[in-house]
């Protein structure tokens, strides 16, 4: 306890007897008399007042609580806890002087630990109180309680999930768990908190929904009856808005039908013949009639027959003389024409014999060009003899002009394919044809002329691969399984590289009438191609070349490429760009999806796994993409696990796992590579979504039976860097897990291989195999249109017959006031993303049908096209499709 010797009793202060007292006679003190007023005492101090009193506190974990109080005037100030004075050494005291009153201000602090609070026994909480002294007496503060803070884990009531209408308020009730101090809760940040401790409740799902709403009615369709009563139809869709999260579907019918009446066509009828005219100088007279009984109405047919009629009016008197004169003149003119034709033919034949001195027996030598050739004279010492080898240098001519490509196999008959003076032959200047003459055993007179086109080592004309600079007579490389070619003309055709999903559709009329081109389609090898991606872009399709580049097309062609972009997200997270490669090898942007304009040279139709490029310029193309903030984009990958096919005869055993783009071409390359290495596919390839998050792909092996096997890998996992995958290189990426068995008697292997992107998705391979078995070799996966032939020429390449195609174009190309034209067809087929491209074409419907053919390759069922036409009310086209097609 504090010292009390210097303290003065409050009673003395209150009685005013704190001054000195004078002695009285007899040794006592006279308390009845006070000293005179001329000796006043010092003014009395007031009682202490607390400027700061201790506050309640909570001990969180093991942190002590600081209690503080401040009083003025105060000569001493101390704490008393639970009725006992706190040791003077546990006090921290500070003294200052109040500038306004001049009184002494004392402040004191103490610390209360968790141990002090826990040692208190009894029902009363731990409390402390501050006591201050002055010359006037003492003053006590209010009690401050110190408690140990805690918070239970379980909420007394958690919020429950609710379904509410969109924009409707919802009340969620939540009672926090028991705690000290009492917990406060909030649902905004999903945290229940006090000012000391936090705990998280289970998530309450608030599912907002709204009911569907009807869109506006479409325009009425045309009357389906050509004559009499029929019906018209209009439709609406439950998309304004569409039902969300279980909201009710729109009430009412999605279509309306009303009756209509079409005026029936009325065919025309002839009137009666008029009277005969007077007899003319030609011994004939005439009569006429008109198609007015009745006239044709509402699209009815015109009268059949002639409006005029004539006959001889002399009853045969002048028929003989007139007929002889007419027929005599005709016969004379005909004979004169025959004589002239014979003369011209004889002159031409003699001139031909004089210049060529021989007959050309091969019909394919009839080239439309200027051909200068002089054979050797009979006295020439280099004259060919049947028994002497021919001199191939003595008879060489030069040919310039339009060509015929003479292609002949080992057992094929002679045939010819005309070639034009188009840019197809631009890379081959000063083309020469050597004409070699040799006598055959079957004829001693006739000369056989064999035309050899000096086009390069592989015999193909046209531009070389546009990805590399070219000069001279460089030829296009042909990769088995990665390219295809065919000779196409005005009827069109389709080039398809099997098991890759890559194809080129050349519609009818794209090549001018009478011209033929040796067209090709090629997937460029990754080691021979520069990547078109730059910065954060990634390659999404194979790099494909089609040609010959520079050839003139009358109509657009459609190039189909498989892509690996994940497109099922509700918000667009890709920026997709189509690029082309120049002859110098540089990459240029063609268009960016969604940013097309009237100057865009092509149209890009994007589907879940393929993209179709409608274009009029052949070359090298590729689709690249990059993430569109704020969401990162995802690529589809495929993971394939391989092992040795032959029985393992050593203690070492290896597993290879490949990571490729999710496209038929990429998996085909992996299968071909493993087939050459003697590998076998252990499981079906697994898909993996690879996110643009800059995280690597991690591969690890688990659950190896360590009693029989051990892993040679020192690290716990392997990683493929993010950029190697995101760049989109066509090179197959893989990791190898090397294992070693304890003895040759061990044949069973069981383990797990985990493949996942760091902080992303993953896949697990469950492996259980017998390494002593001989497994089947790798075989190509049947995907990407692998069952289709590599090339189809003419009408066999198209699902839609030419007659039906022409009728659909004639019916829909012309604009309709009701919109029932090619624009509605584009909307029904899903090709209406940028209609201005089709509007600039002579036949917008034809381009739409070409795109439909390309997008339905292998499964082109006319039913889907017929359904779109039926919805448009084009019943006359449906009748034609039913009669001529396979609908």
């Amino acid at each position: 306890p504090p010292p009390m010797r210097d303290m003065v009793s409050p009673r003395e202060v209150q009685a005013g007897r704190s001054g000195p007292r004078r002695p009285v006679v007899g040794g006592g003190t006279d308390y009845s008399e006070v000293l005179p007023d001329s000796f006043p005492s010092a003014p009395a101090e007031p009682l202490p007042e607390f400027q700061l009193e201790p506050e309640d506190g909570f001990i969180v974990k093991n942190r002590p609580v600081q209690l503080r109080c401040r009083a003025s005037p105060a000569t001493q100030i101390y704490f008393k806890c639970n009725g006992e004075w706190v040791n003077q050494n546990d006090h921290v005291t500070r003294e200052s002087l109040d500038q306004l009153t001049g009184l002494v201000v004392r402040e004191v602090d103490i610390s209360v630990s968790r141990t002090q609070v826990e040692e208190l026994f009894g029902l009363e909480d731990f409390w402390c109180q501050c006591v201050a002294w002055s010359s006037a007496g003492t003053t006590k503060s209010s009690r401050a309680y110190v408690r140990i803070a805690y918070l239970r884990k379980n909420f007394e009531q958690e919020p429950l999930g609710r379904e509410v209408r969109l924009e409707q308020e919802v009340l969620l009730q939540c009672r926090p768990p028991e705690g000290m101090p009492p917990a406060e809760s909030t649902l905004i940040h999903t945290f229940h908190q006090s000012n000391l401790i936090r705990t998280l409740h289970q998530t309450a799902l608030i599912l907002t929904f709204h009911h569907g709403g009807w869109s506006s009615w479409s325009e009425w369709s045309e009357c389906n009856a050509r004559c009499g009563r029929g019906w018209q139809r209009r439709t609406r869709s439950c998309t304004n808005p569409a039902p969300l999260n279980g909201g009710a579907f729109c009430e009412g019918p999605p279509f309306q039908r009303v009756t209509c009446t079409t005026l029936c066509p009325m065919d025309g009828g002839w009137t009666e013949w008029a009277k005969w005219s007077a007899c003319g100088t030609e011994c004939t007279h005439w009569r006429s009639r008109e198609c007015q009984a009745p006239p044709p109405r509402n699209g009815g047919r015109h009268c059949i027959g002639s409006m005029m009629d004539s006959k001889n009016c002399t009853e045969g008197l002048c028929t003989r003389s007139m007929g002889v004169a007419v027929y005599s003149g005709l016969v004379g003119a005909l004979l004169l024409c025959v004589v002239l034709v014979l003369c011209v033919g004889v002159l031409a034949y003699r001139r031909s014999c004089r210049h060529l001195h021989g007959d050309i027996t091969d019909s394919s030598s009839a080239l439309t060009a200027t051909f200068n050739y002089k054979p050797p004279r009979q006295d020439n010492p280099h004259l060919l003899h049947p028994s002497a080898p021919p001199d191939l240098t003595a008879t060489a001519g030069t040919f310039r002009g339009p060509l015929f490509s003479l292609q002949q196999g080992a057992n094929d008959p002679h045939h010819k394919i005309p070639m034009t003076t188009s840019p197809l032959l631009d890379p081959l200047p000063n083309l020469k044809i050597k004409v070699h003459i040799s006598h055959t055993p079957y004829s001693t007179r006739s000369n056989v002329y064999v035309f050899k086109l000096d086009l390069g080592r592989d015999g193909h004309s046209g531009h070389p691969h546009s990805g590399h600079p070219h000069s001279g007579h460089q030829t296009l490389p042909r990769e088995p399984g990665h390219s295809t070619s065919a000779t196409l003309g005005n009827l069109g055709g389709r080039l398809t590289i099997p098991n890759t999903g890559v194809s080129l559709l050349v519609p009818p009329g794209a090549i001018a009438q009478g011209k033929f081109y040796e067209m090709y389609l090629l997937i460029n090898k990754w080691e021979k191609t520069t990547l078109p991606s730059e910065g954060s872009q990634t390659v999404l399709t194979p790099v494909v070349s089609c040609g010959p580049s520079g050839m003139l097309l009358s109509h657009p062609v459609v190039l189909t490429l498989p892509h690996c972009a994940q497109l099922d997200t509700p918000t667009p997270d890709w920026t997709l760009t189509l690029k082309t490669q120049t002859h110098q090898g540089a990459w240029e942007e063609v268009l960016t999806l969604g940013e097309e304009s009237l100057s865009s040279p092509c149209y890009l139709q994007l589907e879940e796994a393929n993209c179709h490029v409608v274009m009029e310029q052949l070359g090298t193309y590729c689709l690249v993409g990059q993430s569109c903030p704020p969401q990162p984009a995802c690529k589809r990958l495929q993971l394939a696990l391989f092992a040795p096919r032959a029985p393992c005869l050593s203690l070492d055993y290896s597993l290879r796992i490949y990571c490729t783009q999710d496209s038929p071409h990429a998996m085909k390359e992996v299968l071909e590579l493993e087939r050459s290495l003697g590998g076998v596919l252990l499981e079906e390839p697994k898909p993996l979504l690879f996110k643009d998050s800059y995280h690597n792909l991690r591969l690890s092996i688990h659950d190896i039976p360590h009693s029989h096997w051990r892993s040679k890998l020192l690290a716990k996992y392997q990683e493929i860097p993010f950029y190697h995958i995101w760049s989109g290189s066509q090179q197959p990426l893989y990791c190898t897990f090397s294992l070693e068995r304890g003895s040759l008697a061990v044949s069973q292997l069981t383990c797990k291989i985990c493949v996942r992107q760091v902080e992303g998705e993953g896949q697990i391979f469950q492996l259980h195999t017998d390494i002593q078995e001989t497994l089947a070799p790798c075989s190509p996966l049947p995907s990407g249109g692998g069952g289709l032939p590599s090339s189809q020429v003419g009408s066999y390449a198209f699902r839609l017959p030419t007659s039906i195609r022409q009728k659909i174009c004639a019916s829909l190309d012309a604009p309709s006031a009701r919109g029932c034209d090619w624009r509605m067809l584009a909307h029904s087929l899903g090709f209406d993303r940028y209609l201005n491209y089709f509007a600039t074409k002579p036949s917008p419907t034809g381009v739409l049908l070409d795109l439909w053919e390309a997008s339905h390759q292998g499964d082109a069922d006319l039913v889907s096209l017929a359904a779109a036409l039926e919805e448009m009310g084009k019943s006359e086209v449906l009748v034609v499709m039913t009669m001529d097609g396979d609908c």
Side-chain angles (χ1 to χ4, degrees):
M4 307 296 291
R5 61 181 181 273
D6 296 331
M7 294 184 181
V8 181
S9 171
R11 294 180 180 178
E12 295 178 350
V13 175
Q14 293 174 3
R17 295 196 292 267
S18 59
R21 302 176 178 85
R22 62 180 180 178
V24 296
V25 179
T29 302
D30 184 4
Y31 289 95
S32 61
E33 296 183 7
V34 183
L35 290 176
D37 293 336
S38 59
F39 303 98
S41 63
E45 285 184 326
L47 287 173
E49 293 184 1
F50 283 97
Q51 298 178 355
L52 176 65
E53 297 190 14
E55 297 179 351
D56 296 343
F58 296 91
I59 294 179
V60 180
K61 297 184 179 179
N62 291 322
R63 294 194 295 271
V65 173
Q66 299 292 329
L67 297 180
R68 175 178 297 174
C69 67
R70 183 170 58 246
S72 175
T75 56
Q76 298 186 48
I77 184 170
Y78 293 95
F79 270 99
K80 178 186 291 186
C81 294
N82 295 321
E84 297 181 1
W85 293 102
V86 179
N87 193 306
Q88 186 175 3
N89 296 330
D90 295 336
H91 290 75
V92 177
T93 306
R94 291 173 294 277
E95 181 179 333
S96 62
L97 189 65
D98 193 335
Q99 298 296 331
L100 296 178
T101 62
L103 300 178
V104 177
V105 178
R106 289 184 182 273
E107 184 176 293
V108 64
D109 293 348
I110 65 170
S111 295
V112 179
S113 65
R114 184 185 186 98
T115 305
Q116 292 176 268
V117 177
E118 290 178 345
E119 289 179 351
L120 177 65
F121 294 95
L123 300 177
E124 190 176 15
D125 292 334
F126 188 94
W127 59 270
C128 290
Q129 177 178 54
C130 195
V131 182
W133 287 267
S134 71
S135 59
T138 62
T139 305
K140 297 181 180 179
S141 69
S142 60
R143 292 184 178 184
Y145 292 90
V146 179
R147 302 178 180 89
I148 297 177
Y150 69 92
L151 185 64
R152 306 297 184 193
K153 292 184 178 180
N154 298 325
F155 282 77
E156 295 184 4
Q157 181 180 358
E158 294 186 352
L160 302 178
R162 295 279 302 277
E163 291 186 1
V164 295
R165 187 189 300 270
L166 192 64
E167 299 182 356
Q168 178 182 350
E169 293 184 357
V170 59
L171 177 62
L172 299 180
Q173 294 182 349
C174 173
R175 287 204 303 271
E178 179 188 354
M180 179 60 68
E184 298 177 358
S185 61
T186 176
L187 291 174
I188 296 177
H189 301 92
T190 68
F191 282 110
H192 296 277
Q193 60 182 7
S194 67
N195 55 349
L196 300 174
I197 300 179
R198 294 185 180 184
T199 182
L200 179 65
H201 67 74
Q202 296 182 357
T203 302
L205 177 63
I206 301 177
L207 189 62
T208 60
F209 70 91
H210 58 72
H211 302 312
W214 288 113
S215 64
S216 301
W217 287 103
S218 64
E219 296 290 336
W220 287 104
S221 65
E222 296 181 2
C223 194
N224 69 327
R226 297 189 60 186
C227 175
R229 293 178 60 84
W231 52 268
Q232 289 177 289
R233 176 178 173 176
R234 66 175 182 175
T235 60
R236 60 179 178 175
S237 59
C238 188
T239 57
N240 188 28
L244 178 65
N245 295 330
F249 196 78
C250 303
E251 297 182 358
F255 64 90
Q256 286 183 347
R257 182 186 298 184
V258 296
T259 59
C260 57
T261 302
T262 304
L263 296 177
C264 295
M266 181 180 297
D267 298 337
W270 292 113
T271 60
E272 295 293 333
W273 287 104
K275 294 182 179 181
W276 290 103
S277 66
C279 191
T281 57
E282 293 85 4
C283 302
T284 59
H285 59 175
W286 301 84
R287 65 176 181 177
S288 63
R289 59 180 179 177
E290 295 181 355
C291 187
Q292 294 292 332
R297 296 177 182 175
N298 305 325
R301 293 179 299 177
H302 200 271
C303 301
I304 300 175
S306 177
M307 296 179 59
M308 305 293 291
D309 184 23
S310 65
K311 70 175 181 178
N312 191 285
C313 58
T314 61
E315 297 181 358
L317 295 181
C318 63
T319 303
R320 184 175 183 84
S321 60
M322 293 297 295
V324 170
V326 172
Y327 288 121
S328 298
L330 292 177
V331 171
L334 181 61
L335 290 176
L336 180 62
C337 292
V338 171
V339 171
L340 292 176
V341 169
L342 290 176
C343 293
V344 172
V346 170
L347 292 175
Y349 176 76
R350 289 184 177 181
R351 177 173 296 183
S352 175
C353 292
R354 182 169 63 251
H355 284 285
L356 295 180
H357 196 71
D359 299 329
I360 298 178
T361 60
D362 189 0
S363 61
S364 64
S365 62
L367 304 174
T368 59
T370 302
F371 185 84
N372 298 323
Y373 173 74
K374 293 184 178 180
R377 298 293 183 180
Q378 295 293 335
D379 56 352
N380 195 324
H382 299 288
L383 178 65
L384 297 178
H385 191 271
S387 61
D391 184 1
L392 302 181
T393 63
T395 58
T398 302
F399 172 80
R400 302 176 186 272
L403 302 180
F404 286 81
S405 174
L406 306 180
Q407 300 180 351
Q408 179 179 1
N411 301 317
D412 296 337
H414 293 278
H415 63 281
K416 64 181 180 179
I417 302 173
M419 303 177 68
T420 68
T421 57
S422 70
L424 172 65
L425 298 178
D426 288 347
L428 306 176
N430 299 326
L431 182 65
K432 296 183 179 180
I433 298 181
K434 292 184 178 180
V435 184
H436 307 292
I437 306 178
S438 62
H439 293 277
T440 64
Y442 305 103
S443 174
T444 57
R445 286 193 59 190
S446 352
N447 295 330
V448 180
Y449 295 83
V450 181
F451 294 84
K452 296 184 178 180
L453 303 184
D454 189 8
L455 298 180
R457 290 172 295 178
D458 61 351
H460 290 284
S461 63
H463 288 296
H465 171 41
S466 61
H468 304 278
H470 61 278
S471 62
H473 295 135
Q474 187 175 1
T475 59
L476 178 73
R478 303 291 182 177
E479 297 289 347
H482 298 272
S483 64
T484 183
S485 63
T487 302
L488 302 182
N490 181 259
L491 297 179
R494 189 195 303 263
L495 300 181
T496 303
I497 303 179
N499 298 321
T500 63
V502 178
S503 65
L504 178 67
L505 180 77
V506 183
I511 300 176
Q513 186 72 33
K515 293 187 178 181
F516 293 83
Y517 289 92
E518 178 75 12
M519 303 191 69
Y520 63 85
L521 187 63
L522 171 70
I523 299 178
N524 295 271
K525 286 285 190 178
W526 61 268
E527 66 269 14
K528 301 178 182 179
T529 307
T530 58
L531 289 180
S533 58
E534 54 186 18
S536 60
Q537 291 180 338
T538 178
V539 179
L540 299 174
T541 66
V543 179
V544 175
S545 298
C546 54
S549 61
M551 69 175 288
L552 298 179
L553 296 171
S554 303
H555 300 294
V557 298
V558 185
L559 176 64
T560 299
L561 303 173
H563 69 82
C564 60
Q566 183 68 11
L567 302 175
D568 60 353
T569 54
T571 58
D573 48 14
W574 280 103
T575 299
L576 301 175
T577 303
L578 182 68
K579 290 190 175 183
T580 185
Q581 194 174 29
T582 63
H583 290 286
Q584 291 74 25
W587 285 96
E588 297 178 349
E589 292 187 5
V590 180
L591 65 85
T592 299
L593 193 68
E595 300 179 4
E596 295 89 342
S597 63
L598 291 176
S599 61
S600 297
C602 57
Y603 174 83
L604 187 62
Q605 178 67 24
L606 196 65
E607 297 178 350
E608 182 179 356
N610 296 298
C611 64
H612 309 281
V613 185
V614 185
M615 59 187 180
E616 299 182 56
Q617 182 67 42
L618 302 181
T620 301
Y621 291 91
C622 182
L623 183 68
V624 301
Q626 64 182 2
S627 294
C628 181
Q631 295 294 331
C634 291
K635 288 179 63 174
R636 300 192 316 273
L637 304 181
Q638 277 194 320
L639 307 174
L641 180 62
F642 291 86
R645 180 172 65 90
C648 183
L649 303 179
S650 66
L651 297 178
D652 295 332
Y653 193 75
S654 62
L655 298 171
R656 287 185 298 274
I657 184 164
Y658 287 81
C659 173
T660 66
Q661 297 190 13
D662 186 9
S663 65
H665 165 66
M667 185 52 60
K668 178 182 178 181
E669 280 200 338
V670 171
L671 292 173
E672 291 177 352
L673 175 61
E674 278 297 320
R675 192 183 301 113
S676 64
L677 298 176
V680 61
L681 184 65
L682 296 182
E683 290 189 27
E684 289 293 324
K686 295 181 180 293
L688 178 68
L689 292 181
F690 192 76
K691 186 180 297 184
D692 184 13
S693 61
Y694 300 98
H695 290 295
N696 299 338
L697 189 68
R698 182 172 297 176
L699 301 93
S700 56
I701 188 169
H702 306 273
D703 299 343
I704 302 176
H706 296 286
S707 58
H708 303 291
W709 293 86
R710 75 174 185 89
S711 174
K712 292 185 176 182
L713 184 66
L714 299 180
K716 294 183 179 180
Y717 53 83
Q718 304 182 61
E719 284 190 348
I720 300 178
F722 167 82
Y723 178 74
H724 289 179
I725 300 176
W726 192 255
S727 65
S729 170
Q730 305 296 318
Q731 179 182 6
L733 302 174
Y734 69 92
C735 286
T736 301
F737 290 96
S738 299
L739 306 176
E740 183 180 8
R741 51 179 173 168
S743 66
L744 295 176
V746 177
S747 62
Q748 299 294 325
L749 174 59
T750 303
C751 64
K752 293 180 182 178
I753 296 181
C754 299
V755 184
R756 59 180 292 268
Q757 186 181 15
V758 179
E759 298 186 8
E761 297 189 5
Q763 287 283 5
I764 296 179
F765 288 89
Q766 297 280 356
L767 181 61
H768 182 79
T769 183
D770 188 344
I771 65 174
Q772 299 297 349
E773 292 183 357
T774 302
L775 303 176
C778 296
S779 59
L781 297 177
S783 59
L788 296 177
S790 60
S791 62
Q792 296 171 294
V793 180
S795 59
Y796 298 100
F798 308 101
R799 185 68 179 88
L800 196 63
T802 305
S803 60
I804 298 179
R805 175 191 176 94
Q806 293 174 350
K807 292 185 180 298
I808 296 177
C809 293
S811 177
L812 300 181
D813 276 345
S816 172
R818 295 184 176 182
C820 189
D821 50 22
W822 63 269
R823 293 169 294 179
M824 184 175 291
L825 178 64
H827 177 73
S828 301
L829 298 179
F831 301 155
D832 56 343
R833 186 178 54 79
Y834 186 68
L835 293 178
N836 288 340
Y837 176 84
F838 303 100
T840 60
K841 305 305 173 186
S843 176
T845 310
V847 181
L848 290 172
L849 295 178
D850 296 337
L851 186 55
W852 176 83
E853 289 269 10
S855 61
H856 289 79
Q857 181 180 7
D859 62 346
D861 189 359
L862 293 181
V863 175
S864 60
L865 183 59
L869 294 173
E870 181 183 12
E871 185 178 355
M872 298 173 60
K874 294 295 181 179
S875 56
E876 68 279 3
V877 180
L878 289 177
V879 173
V880 177
M881 293 182 64
T882 305
M883 296 175 60
D884 300 344
D886 217 358
C887 182

